[in-house]
Amino acid sequence: MKKIIVCVITVCLMLSLAACGSGNQKAPENAGGTAQQNTQQHHETAGADAAQSEKTGDTSNADKKVLVVYFAYSENMGDTSGMEVDAITSASLNQHTDNELGNLQIMAQEAAAVKNGDLFSIQITDPYDPDYGKMVGVAQEDQRNGKQFTFVEAIENFDDYDVVYIGVPVWWSKLPQPMVSFFEHYDFSGKTLVPFGIHLGSRFGSMIGQMKELEPDAVFLDGFTIRADTDNERVKVEFDAFLETVD
Amino acid sequence: MEGRSSHRKSINYLVDVLMVLFLPMLAAYSLIGERFHEIVGTTMFLLFLTHLFLHRKWLGSVFKGRYTPYRACLTGVNMILLVLMFLQPLSGITVSKHLYTFLPLTGLASQAREIHMTLAYWCYVMMSFHLGLHMDQMVSIADRKLKTGTAVKRIVSLALWAASAYGIYAFIHRGFPDYMFQRTLFAFFDYDEPMLAFFTDYLAIMILFAAIGYYTGRLLKKK
């Protein structure tokens, strides 16, 4: 009997040790969790970047019309104006960096500036909870159930664009469910797609395959991924280098 | 009596071989398909239970007798594996998308996914190490069988050393340290890479830790 008790205690101790191991990890994050401070700041920076593009603008493919679309969780969490900034960033990957902006926004602005493209932020009519902890489970359920999303705004003159840069957070190695609805809503046949994404280890996962299934008649160029918790400055440098390779 | 014991031994052997084969398949996760992963995982757990049953005498004697350094090491590793091998199916079933969806387990999915992923790589290393600790008998059998051709013996041992050395590279290249210490919480799978490349690397990692286990065992037995 004594031995059984000792045995049970040993196993319990080991279990508690194992729990420690997983207990001191940082808050569960997924690749989509780059919450930012606020969107106002984003627009200011976008303006600054647009001004810069007039100087550095690439004119080599002026004949091609470029669109840059991206889907960021931070711009799909409804009205956060009443919230403390910390309430948003506490769940953010940015707590480990000095980042002021989400890396998707950084890249989207950069692509629009360098490639003379129009910038479009995908926003869903039914936004996610600003509380990252709550949002994670919901986002995963959406993927499982194949939830349908609708969008706040439509892209104007979508048919006119030849090249579309498309920025997405990789969620559990897949497209966020709103992006599936997005691809079902817009027909990318004949267009060239350049994916860029942020992740937490999975890189694109099976996302590219998923996109190709949704848009079988689009041309896909090799995309660019970077870890979501990379510093803004480094993302800019590396993404610029990538953009140079895209004709 | 003799016949029964050899019968038991061959079942034992079969179970172990299957577990060794299943381990890299489980590591390939979505490369081999998520549903298949769940089927192989379930089978692995059943094999593990069989393995436990076949070694129930060992389990029963844990608190008996004197502890040599080798026995202490083996028991420590086995106890860790015992815990891991129960946590893996538990966390796996919680995040199941195919076989166990009828179970009402959704609340802890996010944590369970991380636990399952992180412990998977620990399992891989610990199981390989455990294999290495028990390699003594196999090596001595191989030794006897390969007595005649020393050249064959040399080639085999050279190949194993080379595989272990490559295993170090594969271990780092495949991101094991990042997965094991939770610096990476989402596994990367390259769907464009040939499956053979994946399994070659994982086999090398297994050989590396089996070799470490084998030499650790020998070192501890000497003392």
Side-chain angles (χ1 to χ4, degrees):
Chain A
M1 190 57 207
K2 221 177 188 177
K3 272 169 193 164
I4 293 169
I5 292 168
V6 172
C7 191
V8 168
I9 290 171
T10 312
V11 171
C12 285
L13 272 172
M14 293 188 66
L15 276 170
S16 65
L17 275 176
C20 274
S22 52
N24 59 28
Q25 77 209 20
K26 47 188 187 181
E29 323 251 9
N30 72 58
T34 52
Q36 285 74 33
Q37 312 224 319
N38 54 50
T39 42
Q40 202 173 3
Q41 198 169 10
H42 150 58
H43 289 308
E44 279 165 24
T45 319
D49 272 18
Q52 203 183 3
S53 75
E54 278 167 32
K55 286 178 278 169
T56 58
D58 186 5
T59 49
S60 65
N61 41 19
D63 49 328
K64 285 183 193 163
K65 241 188 140 208
V66 175
L67 172 68
V68 180
V69 294
Y70 67 101
F71 174 80
Y73 166 46
S74 62
E75 295 183 36
N76 283 282
M77 47 171 69
D79 183 17
T80 53
S81 56
M83 293 177 73
E84 295 267 333
V85 168
D86 274 3
I88 305 165
T89 51
S90 64
S92 162
L93 291 170
N94 288 336
Q95 64 184 322
H96 304 291
T97 67
D98 300 326
N99 287 352
E100 290 193 344
L101 276 178
N103 283 323
L104 267 179
Q105 290 158 329
I106 290 280
M107 290 192 281
Q109 288 161 20
E110 207 62 11
V114 174
K115 299 291 181 187
N116 266 330
D118 298 328
L119 194 60
F120 184 86
S121 165
I122 299 165
Q123 285 172 6
I124 48 179
T125 49
D126 178 17
Y128 282 112
D129 198 306
D131 180 345
Y132 183 76
K134 285 183 195 157
M135 171 270 187
V136 170
V138 175
Q140 201 164 17
E141 274 306 298
D142 290 350
Q143 279 182 334
R144 270 192 211 195
N145 305 335
K147 183 179 167 180
Q148 298 282 326
F149 285 87
T150 49
F151 303 98
V152 174
E153 248 183 289
I155 300 173
E156 275 177 47
N157 305 321
F158 177 76
D159 293 340
D160 295 349
Y161 293 101
D162 306 296
V163 182
V164 185
Y165 288 77
I166 191 143
V168 269
V170 183
W171 287 358
W172 299 281
S173 302
K174 292 194 176 70
L175 282 173
Q177 196 56 31
M179 286 308 295
V180 175
S181 295
F182 179 81
F183 280 117
E184 281 164 356
H185 189 269
Y186 290 98
D187 180 11
F188 284 78
S189 299
K191 296 189 196 302
T192 303
L193 274 176
V194 189
F196 59 96
I198 52 168
H199 66 94
L200 267 185
S202 67
R203 292 178 237 178
F204 273 129
S206 54
M207 202 181 90
I208 299 294
Q210 204 187 352
M211 279 190 192
K212 284 180 179 168
E213 245 172 62
L214 286 158
E215 298 297 338
D217 298 318
V219 179
F220 284 84
L221 299 189
D222 282 342
F224 175 90
T225 54
I226 196 153
R227 276 192 68 114
D229 48 7
T230 314
D231 286 337
N232 284 168
E233 279 312 304
R234 220 187 114 200
V235 172
K236 239 181 203 170
V237 172
E238 290 193 22
F239 191 60
D240 277 346
F242 163 76
L243 287 175
E244 270 176 39
T245 68
V246 185
D247 187 30
Chain B
M1 190 67 200
E2 182 118 52
R4 239 189 105 190
S5 140
S6 87
H7 181 63
R8 192 182 154 255
K9 244 182 196 165
S10 55
I11 292 177
N12 212 335
Y13 185 67
L14 179 72
V15 168
D16 293 354
V17 167
L18 283 177
M19 285 178 92
V20 166
L21 288 177
F22 281 11
L23 194 56
M25 279 161 75
L26 285 173
Y29 180 51
S30 53
L31 288 180
I32 57 164
E34 288 174 7
R35 176 181 285 274
F36 191 55
H37 176 87
E38 292 187 17
I39 294 168
V40 176
T42 306
T43 318
M44 179 67 123
F45 183 60
L46 295 177
L47 286 170
F48 168 69
L49 291 179
T50 315
H51 183 94
L52 265 189
F53 177 76
L54 291 170
H55 295 89
R56 60 192 181 282
K57 270 190 186 157
W58 181 89
L59 261 181
S61 68
V62 163
F63 297 103
K64 288 174 195 153
R66 208 170 59 86
Y67 264 80
T68 61
Y70 172 77
R71 194 183 164 201
C73 174
L74 186 67
T75 308
V77 168
N78 289 2
M79 286 304 152
I80 293 170
L81 270 175
L82 187 67
V83 175
L84 290 181
M85 290 299 281
F86 276 103
L87 281 178
Q88 276 312 79
L90 279 177
S91 54
I93 285 168
T94 310
V95 291
S96 164
K97 287 185 222 166
H98 304 280
L99 300 190
Y100 303 100
T101 43
F102 59 89
L103 294 169
L105 301 161
T106 44
L108 290 167
S110 167
Q111 288 87 340
R113 194 199 61 79
E114 279 175 23
I115 290 168
H116 192 75
M117 204 200 102
T118 305
L119 294 189
Y121 293 91
W122 281 99
C123 262
Y124 200 91
V125 166
M126 295 305 269
M127 275 174 83
S128 304
F129 190 82
H130 169 95
L131 179 71
L133 282 175
H134 289 291
M135 215 69 141
D136 242 13
Q137 293 157 314
M138 256 191 272
V139 170
S140 62
I141 291 168
D143 247 12
R144 255 178 283 142
K145 289 209 168 145
L146 294 173
K147 212 178 204 170
T148 44
T150 43
V152 178
K153 211 188 228 173
R154 228 173 254 165
I155 290 167
V156 169
S157 87
L158 198 72
L160 287 175
W161 276 107
S164 301
Y166 178 72
I168 298 171
Y169 165 79
F171 179 74
I172 294 161
H173 178 67
R174 295 282 172 182
F176 266 63
D178 288 344
Y179 294 137
M180 291 169 78
F181 296 102
Q182 295 208 317
R183 281 193 294 267
T184 298
L185 292 174
F186 291 83
F188 168 65
F189 292 100
D190 184 354
Y191 296 88
D192 296 327
E193 140 191 275
M195 209 94 102
L196 190 67
F198 180 90
F199 285 116
T200 306
D201 282 15
Y202 272 73
L203 184 67
I205 296 168
M206 190 189 271
I207 291 171
L208 168 68
F209 282 96
I212 293 173
Y214 173 67
Y215 284 105
T216 306
R218 276 192 24 174
L219 204 73
L220 291 174
K221 274 180 187 169
K222 250 184 210 168
K223 279 178 183 171

